[in-house]
Amino acid sequence: MTAENPTGPLGGHLDDDDYPAYTMGRAAEMLGTTPGFLRAIGEARLIRPLRSEGGHRRYSRYQLRIAARARELVDQGTPVEAACRIVILEDQLEEAQRLNAEYRAAAASSGPPTAV
């Protein structure tokens, strides 16, 4: 097996954070929660699990990290809907900060504008 020609049941998706590799039961077990919690955060639009051909929910590692953060907030007493909104805003802030850093780096590498 080579990196250029992956084989096996995951077809080279072992390093893909967005690959929906986990069933609802396994995801709930990994998070130490219930399938009902995963359904609730899905209804609150925090995560949108992909569906298998049979219609079963499948979760990615990225979605599990998001769900774990929501669970932390719920465990601290935050209502599910509010926890989901907080996590969404945290994720948006992180993305905005990442883009800002990229723009600053690009501006710094291009140097100051020259007068013509």
Side-chain angles (χ1 to χ4, degrees):
M1 175 167 50
T2 65
E4 296 81 31
N5 189 16
T7 61
L10 295 178
H13 296 287
L14 290 174
D15 293 330
D16 186 353
D17 265 2
D18 295 319
Y19 184 73
Y22 304 98
T23 63
M24 177 180 274
R26 179 69 179 126
E29 179 183 316
M30 291 170 69
L31 294 171
T33 189
T34 64
F37 175 78
L38 291 173
R39 282 190 291 275
I41 63 174
E43 289 170 10
R45 297 188 180 133
L46 177 60
I47 58 175
R48 182 175 290 144
L50 293 174
R51 298 283 182 146
S52 69
E53 289 182 20
H56 300 282
R57 290 174 179 91
R58 303 287 293 201
Y59 298 89
S60 68
R61 287 189 302 216
Y62 173 75
Q63 290 172 325
L64 294 183
R65 283 195 302 274
I66 295 292
R69 175 65 180 131
R71 179 166 185 244
E72 287 175 13
L73 293 168
V74 169
D75 287 349
Q76 295 171 4
T78 307
V80 171
E81 296 80 15
C84 290
R85 186 68 182 138
I86 290 167
V87 173
I88 290 167
L89 290 171
E90 287 175 343
D91 197 48
Q92 289 173 346
L93 176 60
E94 184 179 315
E95 178 67 9
Q97 289 173 331
R98 184 190 62 76
L99 287 172
N100 192 17
E102 286 179 14
Y103 292 144
R104 287 179 187 217
S109 67
S110 67
T114 56
V116 179

